[in-house]
Amino acid sequence: MEINPEKYRQFLERLDTLTPAERRVFDLYVQEKKASEIADELVLSINTVKYHNGNIYGKLEVESRKELLA
């Protein structure tokens, strides 16, 4: 998959908009953790992880985990 340099730059800029909690969840997704594993590791409910996930997708303008990890 070829990465568009401009889109990548914009993605990196949007990373700065994540709250500390969203960033912790994002960092664990990048480590290919599942939502249930993230919930366990951060001592959160699965619903809280899903809430952060929705915020992360919106702020980073991605629509799927695959796109997030790309």
Side-chain angles (χ1 to χ4, degrees):
M1 178 179 190
E2 191 172 324
I3 297 175
N4 176 312
E6 179 60 21
K7 285 190 176 191
Y8 183 67
R9 184 191 62 74
Q10 291 171 349
F11 177 85
L12 292 177
E13 286 177 1
R14 289 190 292 267
L15 272 179
D16 290 337
T17 68
L18 298 181
T19 67
E22 292 164 351
R23 185 58 193 244
R24 285 190 296 274
V25 171
F26 171 82
D27 289 343
L28 292 171
Y29 272 121
V30 170
Q31 295 174 31
E32 299 187 12
K33 303 262 184 175
K34 296 178 182 174
S36 60
E37 295 170 319
I38 294 169
D40 289 343
E41 189 164 328
L42 298 179
V43 191
L44 300 171
S45 74
I46 193 70
N47 288 335
T48 300
V49 172
K50 289 179 181 180
Y51 174 79
H52 288 314
N53 192 43
N55 289 341
I56 292 166
Y57 281 26
K59 288 179 179 181
L60 299 182
E61 298 181 17
V62 297
E63 296 182 14
S64 69
R65 182 182 173 125
K66 181 179 179 181
E67 187 178 355
L68 177 71
L69 296 177

